[in-house]
Amino acid sequence: MKAIRYFLALIALFSAAISCNTDKKNIPELPAKYIGEVTQEMTELMIHDVTNPPLAARFFSYACITGYEIVSQNDSSLAGLHGIINQYPNIKKPDTFPAQSYQLSAVLGMIQTAKTIQPSGTELQTFEDALLDSCRKMGFSEETIHQSLAYGKAMTKAILNYAKTDGYTLISNYPRYTPLGTPGSWYPTPPGYFAPVEPYFDTVRPFFLDSAAQFKPLAPVAFSEAKDSEFYKITKEVYDVEMSETNKEIAAFWDCNPFALQDNGHLMVGMKKISPGAHWMGITNIACQKAELSFTESMKIQTIIATTLMDGFIACWDEKYRSNRIRPETAIRKYIDPTWTPFLQTPPFPEYLSGHSTISTAAAAILTHYFGDNFSYSDTVEERYGLQARNYTSFNQAANEAAISRLYGGIHFMDAITRGQKQGREVGAWIIEKLPQSDLGVAQATKTKN
């Protein structure tokens, strides 16, 4: 009898295994577009919450890392992040979700992470419900949906434990930052006169960089009130910039200032604008969709871009509060023309370096690594916010335009732009060097196959 019961148990286990494998084969593929849809929904919440640019990059990073971790546990073509990014734990794949779809788990994990770390994150529940309804129409079973969600939540917990150790939560314990009030130092600008944004962001752990100061730039042009000084020269350059219709279009397209206000006569109203990082996350999604990348490749590239943006902001912010330089708006009004106003509203933090120049150049370096230097695309990211699409023949062309837009907008001196670009190139090159050797770009992989 014992032998018979043992034999029957073996048959039951074998049948269950066959059933599980059959179920796996019947699980539909989830389109890669849903990765970008999550980051777009996150962007909408960031606009609502007026999330500052460095913090936005942090939100994108941990949400994408959650999805990346799940995909890497289930697709051997994707290297895990343990040993690649700083202090990243070796997270074990749970064995309790045999019927899950790892692609659906990845997207749901991204959503769970965003729901937790974004102030208005609970509003993502509506998007999650709509996604799951779409999955049911695609043929996902209730059991697969249930296990995929459970797997996503388990990975969210692991990633948020990692996020807690990056030092960001300690920033609230630091003393409130007070402007120095010395000649040539930054001071809040109109119309909002906002307090400085993230003065301690350089204390946050980077993902790839050895430290925030790893690519410390040269000191900015020294402040001087003298009209024969180099500082007066670069100040006059901002004042004299030609504001042609083309230059206005470029400045407006790359504004990406979530703190912009509009005077409606009786009150100031916040204008609906995305952050620089959100703009580049949108560009990344456009590139992935145009190249028709697989779910795994899309998850990889969007995660590397998000973490690159984070490291770029950390490096840039390290310098901003070191040099603490005055904005053109303040300098021009005091030393050249008291009635002058910049074309764009000045963001609420010190001038040097240009953050957009840094992170745009770094992001372009990563995207060029993956897609090549002649990847043309139409940037439609800002159409939903009232700006017409612009066409580019390469990511570097777009990054260069983003950088010079800061001069056209009247919010940066030229040395902050060019040295921000230099820092961005250094950050991008460092991260590419840190990637696994097998991590070929799309253009490189195509050449290898041919």
Side-chain angles (χ1 to χ4, degrees), residues 7-309:
F7 181 70
L8 291 174
L10 284 177
I11 291 176
L13 287 171
F14 183 69
S15 298
I18 292 175
S19 175
C20 183
N21 288 335
T22 302
D23 289 342
K24 277 290 184 183
K25 290 179 182 178
N26 292 333
I27 294 175
E29 292 285 316
L30 189 70
K33 69 174 185 177
Y34 287 106
I35 301 170
E37 288 190 11
V38 175
T39 57
Q40 178 57 54
E41 291 297 317
M42 291 179 67
T43 295
E44 291 295 324
L45 288 188
M46 291 174 191
I47 292 171
H48 174 271
D49 294 337
V50 195
T51 305
N52 68 64
L55 185 56
R58 184 174 183 267
F59 290 162
F60 284 130
S61 292
Y62 287 117
C64 286
I65 287 173
T66 304
Y68 186 108
E69 177 63 34
I70 292 170
V71 175
S72 68
Q73 289 182 356
N74 293 273
D75 186 339
S76 59
S77 70
L78 187 61
L81 293 173
H82 178 63
I84 296 178
I85 62 176
N86 296 326
Q87 299 176 14
Y88 190 77
N90 187 10
I91 302 172
K92 301 297 183 181
K93 178 183 176 180
D95 57 6
T96 52
F97 310 114
Q100 56 83 21
S101 157
Y102 74 85
Q103 295 169 338
L104 179 56
S105 292
V107 171
L108 291 172
M110 292 176 69
I111 295 171
Q112 305 316 306
T113 299
K115 284 166 69 173
T116 304
I117 63 177
Q118 291 192 251
S120 299
T122 54
E123 294 187 20
L124 285 170
Q125 187 61 51
T126 301
F127 171 70
E128 180 182 318
D129 292 342
L131 166 66
L132 294 182
D133 284 341
S134 297
C135 287
R136 292 182 181 99
K137 292 176 183 177
M138 289 181 221
F140 285 86
S141 69
E142 290 301 324
E143 182 61 21
T144 291
I145 289 173
H146 173 74
Q147 290 196 21
S148 299
L149 179 58
Y151 186 15
K153 287 182 175 180
M155 288 300 101
T156 285
K157 183 178 180 181
I159 299 307
L160 290 180
N161 284 337
Y162 171 62
K164 289 176 184 177
T165 65
D166 73 0
Y168 186 79
T169 57
L170 301 177
I171 287 177
S172 60
N173 297 325
Y174 296 145
R176 184 180 181 86
Y177 185 87
T178 303
L180 300 178
T182 56
S185 64
W186 174 82
Y187 196 79
T189 50
Y193 295 95
F194 292 113
V197 167
E198 301 291 3
Y200 301 107
F201 203 69
D202 64 320
T203 65
V204 178
R205 177 188 60 211
F207 291 110
F208 294 95
L209 302 183
D210 291 339
S211 72
Q214 182 175 351
F215 297 112
K216 178 182 176 182
L218 296 172
V221 170
F223 172 77
S224 174
E225 298 180 17
K227 291 192 174 183
D228 60 350
S229 67
E230 183 66 18
F231 182 79
Y232 187 87
K233 179 181 176 181
I234 63 173
T235 303
K236 193 72 162 53
E237 180 182 24
V238 179
Y239 182 71
D240 291 336
V241 70
E242 178 192 359
M243 287 310 295
S244 64
E245 286 304 311
T246 297
N247 290 353
K248 288 179 181 178
E249 289 174 6
I250 291 172
F253 187 77
W254 293 103
D255 184 11
C256 305
N257 180 6
F259 304 98
L261 297 172
Q262 187 174 53
D263 189 351
N264 284 355
H266 298 287
L267 74 162
M268 291 288 184
V269 178
M271 300 169 68
K272 194 172 186 180
K273 295 189 179 184
I274 64 177
S275 69
H279 195 147
W280 279 98
M281 290 300 295
I283 291 171
T284 303
N285 187 47
I286 289 171
C288 290
Q289 291 292 307
K290 181 180 178 182
E292 298 181 346
L293 298 189
S294 67
F295 190 96
T296 295
E297 285 295 304
S298 294
M299 190 75 257
K300 174 180 69 177
I301 294 174
Q302 298 203 48
T303 302
I304 299 303
I305 285 294
T307 49
T308 295
L309 293 170

Side-chain angles (χ1 to χ4, degrees), residues 283-340:
I283 291 171
T284 303
N285 187 47
I286 289 171
C288 290
Q289 291 292 307
K290 181 180 178 182
E292 298 181 346
L293 298 189
S294 67
F295 190 96
T296 295
E297 285 295 304
S298 294
M299 190 75 257
K300 174 180 69 177
I301 294 174
Q302 298 203 48
T303 302
I304 299 303
I305 285 294
T307 49
T308 295
L309 293 170
M310 175 77 160
D311 278 12
F313 277 118
I314 289 173
C316 181
W317 253 243
D318 175 64
E319 179 56 41
K320 277 188 179 293
Y321 289 93
R322 180 187 300 109
S323 53
N324 211 336
R325 187 163 73 173
I326 191 173
R327 284 280 182 170
E329 180 171 10
T330 307
I332 291 172
R333 285 184 171 186
K334 186 169 184 179
Y335 302 111
I336 298 178
D337 180 355
T339 66
W340 185 83

